[in-house]
Amino acid sequence: MDATDDPASDAVRPDAADPNAVDDTGAPVPVPDRVRRVVSIVPSLTETVAVTAPELLVGATAWCTHPAGLDVPRVRGTKNPDLERIAELRPDVILGNTEENRPADVEALRAAGIPVWLTDIRTVDGALASLRRLLAVACRVPVPGWLDEASRVWADVAPGTRRAAVVPIWRRPWMVVGRDTFTGDVLSRLGVANVYADHPERYPKIPLGDLNAAGADLVVLPDEPYRFTGDDGPESFPGVDVALVDGRLLTWYGPSLVEAPRALARQLADTRRR
């Protein structure tokens, strides 16, 4: 029996979804019965569509670097999308995110009559559920095998020895991962407790002296959004173990979820100390 014929299957036929579905924010999105043209203004979501249904993707931001060799029209960045260019591409739906995209841009696109589907992702489980709905409802395509595989590998994750960490994402000024973030949940599931998980802000600015006095025994330095390297970042945290990690695996939600647990566990174990 084909998956789409099984009423218990997670796969959803493109013609079976509600055309008046709501996105992660609860906003109704008038997605057409058949979606043929998608513009994504979030790198993670661009990769999600490009790997699952590449024929649908007709536009993406300049920051959309995956999959390699992606050849679609570019619409500037996540925070300054070219709204006129997006409209010229005649998308059936635009894929965005509450954290990545500005409300004013989303409102302008919707005012122009273009459906915008917003994701709001704060946890691994939330990402898996959000991507499943985005593909099945916003893009009208069956749920792909890689997403089922991602659900399986994350369900099997066994965290190692618990460590307390500071997770900078920028310097000059120093900014770190705070409360209620996808990145923090990824690390928590891998055995890394974010020292600033209870901070009132999601990405607080913290002076370097305070970071070094926070009681962390590990500093996690991703290579995006700030590109921390072995020569730029570790020297600021003397006497503390530092792990350099792949920022895409730590912060993106999409096909990278499949490889993220194993690769990040390896990178977190490969620490260095100044």
Side-chain angles (χ1 to χ4, degrees), residues 2 6 25 28 41 63 109 146 197 225 241 245 262:
D2 185 82
D6 182 359
T25 71
I41 50 177
W63 299 105
L109 290 164
W146 67 258
D241 286 348
V245 302
R262 180 179 299 177

Side-chain angles (χ1 to χ4, degrees), residues 4-211:
T4 56
D5 295 327
D6 182 359
S9 172
D10 284 331
V12 177
R13 293 193 306 269
D15 62 351
D18 180 0
N20 296 311
V22 297
D23 65 15
D24 288 0
T25 71
V29 183
V31 181
D33 290 335
R34 182 178 178 187
V35 172
R36 297 177 177 84
R37 301 176 66 81
V38 172
V39 169
S40 169
I41 50 177
V42 179
S44 297
L45 304 182
T46 298
E47 184 180 21
T48 294
V49 177
V51 169
T52 306
E55 71 282 0
L56 298 184
L57 194 65
V58 298
T61 76
W63 299 105
C64 296
T65 56
H66 287 75
L70 181 65
D71 183 18
V72 296
R74 302 297 174 149
V75 295
R76 291 205 302 251
T78 59
K79 298 292 192 291
N80 66 335
D82 186 335
L83 304 185
E84 291 186 5
R85 179 59 175 141
I86 291 174
E88 290 172 355
L89 293 171
R90 298 178 291 107
D92 294 315
V93 65
I94 297 169
L95 306 180
N97 176 263
T98 56
E99 185 174 19
E100 295 285 343
N101 306 123
R102 302 184 307 170
D105 293 325
V106 173
E107 291 168 7
L109 290 164
R110 285 175 171 165
I114 307 172
V116 180
W117 181 281
L118 285 181
T119 58
D120 185 11
I121 294 173
R122 310 294 177 95
T123 65
V124 172
D125 287 343
L128 294 168
S130 177
L131 293 174
R132 188 171 292 269
R133 292 180 58 249
L134 177 144
L135 290 168
V137 182
C139 296
R140 309 298 203 205
V141 297
V143 175
W146 67 258
L147 188 49
D148 290 331
E149 176 67 5
S151 297
R152 187 191 66 77
V153 298
W154 278 102
D156 291 342
V157 167
T161 303
R162 201 74 174 166
R163 304 195 69 178
V166 167
V167 191
I169 57 168
W170 203 260
R171 66 182 303 179
R172 306 184 191 93
W174 286 94
M175 296 177 65
V176 299
V177 172
R179 65 167 182 85
D180 193 25
T181 67
F182 172 78
T183 296
D185 189 57
V186 166
L187 290 172
S188 178
R189 294 177 66 140
L190 294 173
V192 177
N194 176 17
V195 169
Y196 289 98
D198 295 326
H199 195 280
E201 299 177 29
R202 297 185 69 217
Y203 299 101
K205 297 177 182 177
I206 308 290
L208 181 59
D210 291 349
L211 295 181

